[in-house]
Amino acid sequence: MARPERSLDSTPSPLADFASDLRRLREQAGSPKYLQMSRRTGRSRTALAEAAGGDHLPNWDTVRAYVEACGGEPARWLVRWEQLRDLNRAERTGGSATSPTVTEVPLLPHSPPAAGECPAPAGALPPPCIGQSASQQPGAPGAAPPDGDATRESDVSIVLHLWREQRAQARQCENHRAITSAIVVLICAASATGSVVDPTAALRDLFSGVVIAFGVFGAATCHKYYERHQMHMTEAQALRRQLSLLRPTLGIESGWRGAREEHSARYPLLYRLRLHQLWVAIHLAVSVVGVVLLAINSG
């Protein structure tokens, strides 16, 4: 039987409210065990449990993993987490008088609204309308206009975070490709050496076969990692275009396009040569070496 979570601090605070909302999200997901959540996300169950402990503000990667494991939408939680982070910074620097307020962004869209609440529209990130009168609701006659600059700034923050995440995923694909290539080359080198020095014909053929198989495997793996890399880069480019629309005065898209055209004009031949093609060619060449060794040993 799972051990029940300890109760949160009874003193009202934005951090305690944030932890309480995380717990409620987990309850709506069927109260999965932290071990199950850890297996789904790769984060330690201790970190996931502490995220909803209310003692300190967890880092964003842990919050995102917690929300994803419970079937939530991380983008809806990012604004709230950034506001808490800024509030903590202001408190540490003694700026409590000018500390930012935490906007209660609706984070549990699938839960039924309580008495006095009005549900948030799908896909939006509006401020709460708990306990507001009809004249105070957003869009009602006489209501104050929404803070467009603050909303736009939150949108920029979300898009920029997602862009960084896609770039990090693309970089991780390239790192995995490099590690895989190094392992393949080491195995093929050891097998080629064994094929040359081993006096047993059967083992020489086996070593040659290993070189051929791992060479082909390395080529296929490099091509697959390139496909994954391109997927994340395509998503990052779409987010960059969205960021350009949010901040048109920065000229992000036109500046990027101009720099790319200048670079391609400076290196016209190398620009057209894709790096993954070289890696695939190297692994295929290793396979050819295995075929040559097999032919020599058979002869």
Side-chain angles (χ1 to χ4, degrees):
M1 182 177 178
R3 184 174 59 184
E5 290 187 290
R6 61 180 179 81
S7 58
L8 293 171
D9 188 355
S10 58
T11 304
S13 69
L15 182 57
D17 293 340
F18 186 76
S20 177
D21 287 343
L22 283 175
R23 294 187 179 190
R24 190 157 71 251
L25 176 66
R26 179 166 169 255
E27 291 175 359
Q28 290 183 359
S31 299
K33 296 181 179 179
Y34 282 114
L35 180 59
Q36 295 173 329
M37 296 169 62
S38 175
R39 290 171 178 171
R40 293 175 190 171
T41 62
R43 307 291 295 186
S44 71
R45 60 179 175 179
T46 301
L48 292 171
E50 289 179 351
D55 295 325
H56 63 275
L57 181 66
N59 62 51
W60 168 243
D61 288 338
T62 301
V63 174
R64 182 187 61 193
Y66 191 109
V67 172
E68 289 177 346
C70 297
E73 302 176 17
R76 300 180 68 88
W77 293 76
L78 179 58
V79 175
R80 177 100 167 264
W81 178 86
E82 289 180 336
Q83 292 171 340
L84 285 173
R85 177 199 61 190
D86 295 340
L87 182 60
N88 286 348
R89 288 177 179 174
E91 290 177 348
R92 285 197 301 267
T93 57
S96 57
T98 57
S99 298
T101 58
V102 178
T103 302
E104 292 293 332
V105 178
L107 302 176
L108 303 170
H110 301 295
S111 59
E117 296 184 3
C118 60
L125 293 172
C129 43
I130 301 175
Q132 292 179 342
S133 63
S135 62
Q136 293 174 318
Q137 301 299 326
D147 190 348
D149 290 340
T151 302
R152 192 181 302 110
E153 195 65 32
S154 297
D155 292 342
V156 169
S157 178
I158 293 173
V159 172
L160 187 58
H161 176 82
L162 295 175
W163 177 85
R164 289 171 177 168
E165 189 175 75
Q166 292 300 325
R167 290 298 298 258
Q169 291 290 338
R171 191 178 302 112
Q172 188 176 29
C173 288
E174 181 59 20
N175 292 338
H176 288 173
R177 195 275 317 147
I179 294 172
T180 302
S181 295
I183 294 174
V184 167
V185 169
L186 288 175
I187 293 175
C188 290
S191 299
T193 303
S195 176
V196 173
V197 302
D198 195 282
T200 308
L203 289 179
R204 288 201 301 267
D205 292 345
L206 176 61
F207 285 136
S208 299
V210 170
V211 174
I212 297 172
F214 271 86
V216 173
F217 170 78
T221 303
C222 283
H223 201 61
K224 178 60 181 179
Y225 275 128
Y226 174 74
E227 178 267 328
R228 294 284 94 181
H229 176 274
Q230 287 299 101
M231 180 190 73
H232 292 298
M233 289 302 297
T234 299
E235 294 177 356
Q237 290 168 6
L239 290 167
R240 189 194 64 234
R241 289 191 292 269
Q242 188 174 356
L243 186 61
S244 180
L245 292 175
L246 291 171
R247 286 290 184 268
T249 57
L250 298 179
I252 297 174
E253 196 66 21
S254 58
W256 174 86
R257 190 178 301 108
R260 182 59 62 93
E261 291 174 354
E262 180 182 350
H263 178 78
S264 61
R266 186 180 303 173
Y267 304 99
L269 297 179
L270 290 176
Y271 182 77
R272 293 181 177 86
L273 180 63
R274 295 293 179 259
L275 191 59
H276 88 283
Q277 296 173 347
L278 296 178
W279 285 108
V280 171
I282 289 173
H283 288 286
L284 292 178
V286 170
S287 295
V288 172
V289 171
V291 173
V292 171
L293 290 173
L294 185 62
I296 293 175
N297 294 333
S298 299

